[in-house]
Amino acid sequence: MRLLCFWGYFLMISVFSYKKIWALEENRWKSEMGLLSRQLLESARETEFFHWMKIRRRIHENPELAFEEHETSQLIRTELDSLGIGYSWPIAKTGLVASIGTGAQPWFALRADMDALPIQELVEWEHKSKNNGKMHACGHDAHVTMLLGAAKLLQDKRDKLKGTVKLIFQPGEEAHGGAYHMLKEGALDKVQAIFGLHISPGQPTGTIGSRPGPLLAGSGRFLAIIQGKGGHAAKPHETRDPVVAASFAILALQQIISRETDPLEAKVVTVGFIEAGQAGNVIPEWVKFGGSYRSITSEGFLYLEERIKEIIEKQASVHRCTAIIDFMEEKLRPYPPTVNDEAMFEHAKAVGEIMLGKKNMELLPISMGAEDFSFYSQKTAAAFFMIGIKNETSKSDKLLHSPYFVLDEEVLPIGEALHAAVAFSYLNRSAVEAH
């Protein structure tokens, strides 16, 4: 009995001691992280701000579409060369992966997308897009700039890095799945975790936001062609009307959400266009229509795909027509849901709160928007955060993908410092935990 009491007392003391040591280590980490965050943010704001602002404006003036980012990629490589940072190029045509640190494990990745949108910029300012019909209306010029700024901050402290930071500069995020192609070429091999930022005009400058678990929906596109038999409108009995078949199919697609989906589960099916004949007195040979589908879970995403195909084919058959459905998996690769690893989310959240204050870290709702960062989240522990750019003075509250989109450039040093701090602290914390 005395022996049992002794061991019980010993175990209790050991647990208490462990908790005390853990608490001391946690407090020490927060203290060190606070000092590092202030140093990084101060350096980004005061030492390098105007240089990186000029870089961002150069990229903004010369937007390039998916897998055409040749000059953007060259600019990135020139900046990395000037910093003495090595890289592998080309990856997925125009992408590259740079390395900072010891070269040894652990490896931690930071990511920025490079491509612009096929939009005509309507903002009149000195650095307006010089490429007609192309615009950085989703902030990818800022993403590249923030990652380059982070590269400078990390390179300055490379001797203190306890591992390796990989910088992923990726092409083709806008509907072309550039992340998927980067992964196919090994961009994330041997990487233990990855962090990414996306600017948000819905949040004030100086704030960040995200959530653990599902953050963004999976998204796919579909194109349907219903083939019938055309003829004169006066003799519909001699035709097989594809317009009627398509109409029934489009209405039936809406019932996937209204009658097959749990009201508490997020799914969307949208038909965005329809094409048929040109004459009011002629029944056309065919009808073409298409749209998108979204779900917050991989299972729901696959279910939507199956039902879209089944409904269109069967509605066509009922109306004596045939249907071909194309999910365009190579041209417009479907994006899986973006899911934040809970441990990585908590790590990035802790760093963000130390740097910006707890009141400036928002817990965001799930969004039905999509991002190809989701491919990275399937490969390794990932955290994807939004970073605010809303500022009444600079009028930077226009929606993403708007021709009137404006960036508050005060976000640049915040994003640079946050990238660097998340990576630096991950590596150093991993080294402490390993011992």
Side-chain angles (χ1 to χ4, degrees):
M1 178 64 75
R2 287 182 179 178
L3 186 60
L4 287 173
C5 288
F6 169 77
W7 282 113
Y9 177 74
F10 177 76
L11 182 61
M12 182 179 69
I13 292 296
S14 297
V15 170
F16 176 78
S17 298
Y18 173 78
K19 286 183 177 180
K20 190 173 182 180
I21 292 169
W22 183 87
L24 288 171
E25 284 294 326
E26 186 71 7
N27 288 334
R28 187 168 67 86
W29 178 82
K30 287 182 178 179
S31 176
E32 291 175 354
M33 192 64 244
L35 178 60
L36 174 67
S37 296
R38 287 191 296 273
Q39 290 174 345
L40 291 171
L41 191 53
E42 181 180 332
S43 178
R45 277 179 169 157
E46 297 182 7
T47 310
E48 304 291 339
F49 176 73
F50 290 104
H51 173 71
W52 297 122
M53 182 179 71
K54 291 175 184 177
I55 292 294
R56 181 259 160 176
R57 291 177 177 183
R58 282 178 59 191
I59 298 171
H60 189 86
E61 289 176 352
N62 187 30
E64 298 171 296
L65 302 183
F67 299 108
E68 299 173 3
E69 310 95 332
H70 301 288
E71 292 187 28
T72 304
S73 180
Q74 179 60 65
L75 184 152
I76 293 167
R77 299 196 306 275
T78 299
E79 288 298 315
L80 293 174
D81 287 338
S82 72
L83 294 171
I85 297 172
Y87 52 84
S88 298
W89 170 85
I91 300 175
K93 292 187 179 179
T94 56
L96 62 143
V97 177
S99 297
I100 303 172
T102 64
Q105 292 288 344
W107 287 7
F108 184 86
L110 299 169
R111 171 268 202 170
D113 38 15
M114 305 186 295
D115 57 322
L117 286 157
I119 292 174
Q120 181 66 46
E121 182 169 5
L122 298 179
V123 181
E124 296 300 331
W125 68 306
E126 184 182 354
H127 301 284
K128 180 179 179 180
S129 169
K130 295 178 180 178
N131 298 338
N132 283 335
K134 300 175 185 179
M135 178 188 177
H136 273 293
C138 199
H140 295 188
D141 51 345
H143 298 168
V144 169
T145 305
M146 290 189 290
L147 192 51
L148 283 172
K152 171 67 166 64
L153 296 173
L154 289 166
Q155 182 71 346
D156 287 346
K157 294 184 178 294
R158 62 189 180 278
D159 293 338
K160 296 181 180 180
L161 286 173
K162 296 180 172 64
T164 307
V165 180
K166 295 287 184 176
L167 309 176
I168 312 286
F169 292 94
Q170 165 212 311
E173 188 280 326
E174 299 290 355
H176 287 78
Y180 170 83
H181 296 284
M182 293 291 284
L183 287 173
K184 277 186 71 175
E185 296 190 28
L188 226 60
D189 290 355
K190 300 181 183 179
V191 169
Q192 276 77 57
I194 186 170
F195 176 73
L197 282 175
H198 199 297
I199 55 98
S200 170
Q203 295 171 251
T205 303
T207 66
I208 58 173
S210 190
R211 66 179 300 110
L215 174 68
L216 300 170
S219 175
R221 308 285 182 92
F222 69 92
L223 175 68
I225 299 175
I226 294 183
Q227 184 71 44
K229 179 183 177 184
H232 199 283
K235 298 182 178 180
H237 58 289
E238 295 180 358
T239 71
R240 294 192 296 275
D241 193 339
V243 175
V244 174
S247 300
F248 272 88
I250 291 169
L251 289 173
L253 289 175
Q254 308 312 305
Q255 295 177 32
I256 299 175
I257 308 303
S258 66
R259 288 297 175 266
E260 298 179 25
T261 299
D262 185 331
L264 300 179
E265 185 179 339
K267 289 195 184 91
V268 176
V269 176
T270 298
V271 174
F273 78 91
I274 182 167
E275 298 175 9
Q278 299 295 316
N281 63 344
V282 176
I283 293 169
E285 292 282 335
W286 54 266
V287 172
K288 180 191 293 186
F289 65 93
S292 65
Y293 55 103
R294 298 167 185 262
S295 173
I296 208 68
T297 67
S298 297
E299 296 77 14
F301 190 73
L302 292 173
Y303 178 80
L304 288 179
E305 192 171 289
E306 290 171 3
R307 289 294 286 141
I308 288 168
K309 185 175 189 298
E310 183 179 24
I311 285 169
I312 295 173
E313 287 179 344
K314 290 190 174 179
Q315 286 293 339
S317 177
V318 164
H319 292 88
R320 301 177 301 144
C321 298
T322 59
I324 299 172
I325 299 92
D326 181 8
F327 289 100
M328 300 179 283
E329 292 185 353
E330 289 303 319
K331 184 179 180 181
L332 295 171
R333 180 168 296 279
Y335 291 2
T338 301
V339 181
N340 279 335
D341 176 81
E342 295 205 9
M344 257 306 297
F345 166 81
E346 290 296 337
H347 171 73
K349 174 176 174 283
V351 174
E353 288 178 343
I354 290 170
M355 178 178 289
L356 303 172
K358 287 188 177 183
K359 67 178 182 178
N360 292 319
M361 167 63 208
E362 300 180 31
L363 184 65
L364 299 180
I366 293 172
S367 168
M368 297 309 288
E371 236 282 352
D372 79 348
F373 189 86
S374 56
F375 289 106
Y376 300 132
S377 75
Q378 288 188 322
K379 172 76 173 177
T380 191
F384 193 60
F385 275 59
M386 304 299 170
I387 184 166
I389 63 162
K390 187 177 182 180
N391 183 326
E392 291 182 7
T393 303
S394 60
K395 299 180 180 179
S396 53
D397 59 351
K398 301 297 187 292
L399 294 176
L400 299 174
H401 294 209
S402 164
Y404 297 99
F405 173 82
V406 172
L407 182 86
D408 178 13
E409 292 177 322
E410 293 295 329
V411 74
L412 298 177
I414 301 171
E416 292 161 18
L418 184 61
H419 271 120
V422 169
F424 194 100
S425 59
Y426 178 90
L427 295 181
N428 288 16
R429 201 169 198 180
S430 296
V432 170
E433 290 173 355
H435 290 87

